[in-house]
Amino acid sequence: DIQMTQSPSTLSASVGDRVTITCRASQSIYSYLAWYQQKPGKAPNLLIYKASSLESGVPSRFSGSGSGTEFTLTITSLQPDDFATYYCRHYNSYSGTFGQGTKVEIK
Amino acid sequence: EVQLLESGGGLVQPGGSLRLSCAASGFTFSSYTMSWVRQAPGKGLEWVSALTGSGYSTYYADSVKGRFTISRDNSKNTLYLQMNSLRAEDTAVYYCAKDSGVEAYFQNWGQGTLVTVSS
């Protein structure tokens, strides 16, 4: 099974900061990677698919990059609504696994 | 607008059974692979099971294989998860999720239903 490793686990940042989250796959997943945002008590929300494609309605301050085994999610100019937990997930197969999550906290 | 509404969660004793339902609307249900994803309290997301639109192909995480059964009724636009031999570690919020129809990423999610396995 392909393992997904996210870093960092927790990130403290201020409004206006540029934030980068990394996700590494244990083997190549080409560009079959999605990023999700989850707020407490809510379902996850799709941000990015195919590693770098922005889902409709998602603010342009979110962007994704990478291919193969290393991927990043970048938030330029962090907003108050962005404090949440972020997950990557590979979908190289239907059984694609999630990363362990990165919690973005207020500094 | 795509809507996914889970139901059927609750408190069940270890070894017991429960059936979850996910009522779908706003899209052609039979055209999409549907999945169940769970989240234990305070933990991350775990994919549980998937079922193709036709209902012919099923997929399970090793942690639930042989105990859980995914199914769907395309005439009722409803996805199911039959959970048997439940364990304490199955305690979680269970979400149903719809893929994009083109690739296997989860484009839409339900609000989730809580399953608690405890004596």
Side-chain angles (χ1 to χ4, degrees), chain A residues 35-79:
Chain A
W35 289 97
Y36 297 89
Q37 177 193 67
Q38 187 180 34
K39 295 179 180 179
K42 301 294 186 181
N45 182 51
L46 176 67
L47 301 173
I48 301 286
Y49 62 95
K50 206 182 290 184
S52 60
S53 296
L54 190 68
E55 173 67 353
S56 176
V58 174
S60 59
R61 62 181 179 273
F62 292 93
S63 65
S65 65
S67 65
T69 62
E70 187 149 341
F71 303 85
T72 58
L73 173 71
T74 300
I75 311 171
T76 58
S77 190
L78 196 67
Q79 298 301 300

Side-chain angles (χ1 to χ4, degrees), chain A residues 4-20:
Chain A
M4 306 300 294
T5 304
Q6 269 183 254
S7 60
S9 298
T10 307
L11 188 159
S12 296
S14 301
V15 173
D17 283 354
R18 178 186 179 94
V19 166
T20 299

Side-chain angles (χ1 to χ4, degrees), chain B residues 24-84:
Chain B
S25 61
F27 62 102
T28 305
F29 183 68
S30 60
S31 296
Y32 293 85
T33 294
M34 299 293 295
S35 293
W36 290 97
V37 176
R38 69 184 180 183
Q39 186 169 37
K43 301 298 183 182
L45 299 165
E46 179 188 16
W47 171 81
V48 172
S49 183
L51 177 59
T52 54
S54 63
Y56 287 145
S57 296
T58 58
Y59 306 86
Y60 296 96
D62 287 344
S63 58
V64 306
K65 202 171 293 182
R67 300 188 299 122
F68 290 11
T69 302
I70 191 171
S71 63
R72 64 194 296 160
D73 185 336
N74 286 343
S75 69
K76 295 182 178 179
N77 290 349
T78 302
L79 177 73
Y80 302 101
L81 186 67
Q82 177 67 42
M83 304 185 295
N84 298 331

